[in-house]
Amino acid sequence: MNIEQALHQRSESKCELCAATDNLHIYEVPPSSNGSAEESVLLCASCSEQIDNPDKLEVHHWRCLNDSMWSPVVAVQVLAWRMLTRLRAEPWAQDLLDMLYLDDDSLAWAQATGEGTEDEEVVKHLDSHGAVLTAGDTVTLIKDLNVKGAGFTAKRGTAVRGISLVADNPQQIEGRINGQQIVILCKFVKKAI
Ligand SMILES: [Zn+2]
């Protein structure tokens, strides 16, 4: 049985991270996979693209780790650890990371790509009261905002549903008001409970 067959058998022909069944391919776990089944996983195109390109990260895609991090396959645990580490500004990701136990050898492997070792602070987006904002939250405006270029004023108290976070700027979120996607300063919103 070759590696590909072994991986298909192990995974039941599903992406070992998100269980997708399309566009599967062998992914050799960086940085130094020997190409064996133990050091490879079967991934869908979406998972491997996001692993290799941090700027393509779709946060909610990785909710799948809630299941796949419990895989008995160490290579899968290692990838789960790396992605949860990358996502740990999200409370759910930090929670999963806290539950994901790797033995010393596996942890060393997981850390071998440098994920999580850069000592930059995790960027947190805080609302006007210091509550942590996460993608998908609903917030309300705490003051009237003049929306530049759009020609309207967003009134205080307006609810903005399903916000997204501006990744490289902890002062800003994005949300849709009057059908327009706009950037909003975190200090002008309050997270809806
Ligand atoms: Zn996948």
Side-chain angles (χ1 to χ4, degrees):
M1 188 160 60
N2 67 26
I3 301 280
E4 184 158 21
Q5 290 166 332
L7 290 180
H8 272 274
Q9 188 174 72
R10 181 175 82 190
S11 66
E12 297 173 328
S13 295
K14 290 181 194 145
C15 172
E16 291 188 270
L17 291 177
C18 78
T21 52
D22 293 331
N23 298 317
L24 300 176
H25 62 99
I26 296 174
Y27 182 84
E28 296 188 0
V29 179
S32 56
S33 172
N34 61 12
S36 68
E38 290 71 38
E39 298 192 4
S40 303
V41 292
L42 197 66
L43 290 188
C44 71
S46 177
C47 281
S48 63
E49 185 181 27
Q50 293 185 61
I51 289 170
D52 291 338
N53 301 284
D55 54 326
K56 297 230 166 102
L57 197 62
E58 293 167 39
V59 171
H60 288 287
H61 177 83
W62 296 100
R63 294 271 184 175
C64 60
L65 296 174
N66 197 13
D67 294 321
S68 50
M69 66 179 252
W70 303 108
S71 166
V73 178
V74 176
V76 174
Q77 296 169 15
V78 161
L79 288 179
W81 185 93
R82 289 179 188 166
M83 292 314 293
L84 290 171
T85 298
R86 202 180 287 177
L87 290 159
R88 67 192 188 281
E90 303 285 329
W92 61 266
Q94 184 65 58
D95 287 349
L96 293 182
L97 197 55
D98 290 344
M99 286 189 282
L100 177 57
Y101 173 78
L102 298 182
D103 63 33
D104 289 348
D105 286 350
S106 306
L107 186 61
W109 182 13
Q111 291 171 333
T113 51
E115 202 75 63
T117 54
E118 67 280 14
D119 44 24
E120 74 190 53
E121 284 285 293
V122 177
V123 174
K124 284 202 167 117
H125 291 67
L126 304 176
D127 77 357
S128 53
H129 290 65
V132 176
L133 298 170
T134 53
D137 278 351
T138 297
V139 299
T140 54
L141 304 182
I142 60 166
K143 60 174 293 216
D144 291 355
L145 296 181
N146 248 322
V147 183
K148 284 191 210 109
F152 68 89
T153 301
K155 291 289 184 198
R156 175 181 173 185
T158 301
V160 185
R161 295 188 170 77
I163 62 162
S164 52
L165 307 179
V166 176
D168 54 358
N169 189 336
Q171 316 297 331
Q172 297 180 340
I173 58 173
E174 283 185 37
R176 193 165 279 276
I177 300 178
N178 283 4
Q180 306 221 32
Q181 187 77 6
I182 62 169
V183 172
I184 309 167
L185 293 177
C186 298
K187 65 183 177 186
F188 295 149
V189 304
K190 180 174 180 304
K191 180 169 172 152
I193 307 297

